[in-house]
Amino acid sequence: MKKTLQFYRSAGATKIFNNKQLISSISQQTRLFSQKLNVNSNLDVIDVEDEATQHIPKEQMQHMAKLRNIGISAHIDSGKTTLTERILFFTGRIKEIHEVKGTDGVGATMDSMDLEREKGITIQSAATYCNWGKHHINIIDTPGHVDFTIEVERALRVLDGAILILCSVSGVQSQSLTVDRQMKRYGVPRLCFINKLDRLGANPDRVIQQVRDKLKLNAAAVQIPMGLEDSLQGVIDVIENRAIYFEGDNGEKLVYKDIPERYQQEVQTKRAELYERLADADDEFAEKYLEDAEITPEFIHKVIRRATIANKFAAVFMGSAKKNTGVQPLLDG
């Protein structure tokens, strides 16, 4: 366990792909340990459901509860590197946003190879880190092209969780299926992020249905977009029941407002759908749901975390990384 804790603190920030069998075993241990951490809404450790870990100092467990080793995976050209660039910007790791293909003469931070900047694709997995609130996040940006699938395979061995990006227009594509199979092989929990809602033909509802039908995931939206394509204004948090607008030059200022009247019915429909999916994944939630007991946002977040780690549920977030929309709520998730 001591080795596991050491790995948990360092994974994702260094080259850790040598002993594949050992790494796969250790990352499975860390995920199992994470499931046993009983935390409150601030992710402060209350206790651990494992007698073997009772000797571990509480400070160390507090640190582990707020450490994330995540990967960003998707089909080619779904916006992985663009999303990573925004994450680094909003967490304060970089001071300026640069685009892929070096269109501004600089290129995205994670594209270190000249060929990556020229072609606008990720060829080699790149690792970095950032801090969001009290959390330390190690990030691996993986390639999307089928020719570099082995890079995704290597990265998934060391991850605690992943963000599966899906294009709002193209939906679930061939490499989305491959990445999903790899995540399932290594038991990696995932969140889904439907990107490019500003594009012509965006249809997030169709993408969610594809996630259920093609990837066989118990998925439900925790957000809905306010407008699509050119009219994209922000997102609505279905759990907290509020509208989120992204203001400022780069969408860095979040403004919370009441949900516009025209979206009220859709929010109620999506919330009911979310409750039904969570009831299928979690017995405690199902019991409250069937008894018509009060279901608080705090309880929903707790259930989603528990069901996600157990690979019984996949929360679906919305946004457009290119337009700086939806990135901060994704980090909160």
Side-chain angles (χ1 to χ4, degrees), residues 154-219:
R154 295 195 304 173
L156 287 173
R157 293 175 182 271
V158 299
L159 299 179
D160 309 319
I163 300 172
L164 177 61
I165 302 179
L166 300 158
C167 175
S168 64
V169 180
S170 304
V172 174
Q173 298 169 274
S174 59
Q175 198 64 6
S176 308
L177 295 166
T178 302
V179 168
D180 177 68
R181 282 196 300 269
Q182 292 170 322
M183 289 180 182
K184 289 174 179 174
R185 184 181 307 145
Y186 295 108
V188 178
R190 88 291 306 271
L191 303 176
C192 297
F193 180 68
I194 299 180
N195 194 23
K196 301 188 177 184
L197 290 177
D198 59 307
R199 283 187 56 188
L200 185 66
N203 189 339
D205 290 335
R206 179 176 62 86
V207 177
I208 292 174
Q209 194 57 50
Q210 288 181 347
V211 169
R212 294 168 181 165
D213 296 340
K214 295 185 178 182
L215 303 184
K216 307 301 181 186
L217 295 178
N218 181 27

Side-chain angles (χ1 to χ4, degrees), residues 77-89:
D77 201 30
S78 293
K80 297 179 299 300
T81 303
T82 303
L83 176 62
T84 305
E85 186 81 3
R86 268 60 182 182
I87 289 175
L88 294 177
F89 176 77

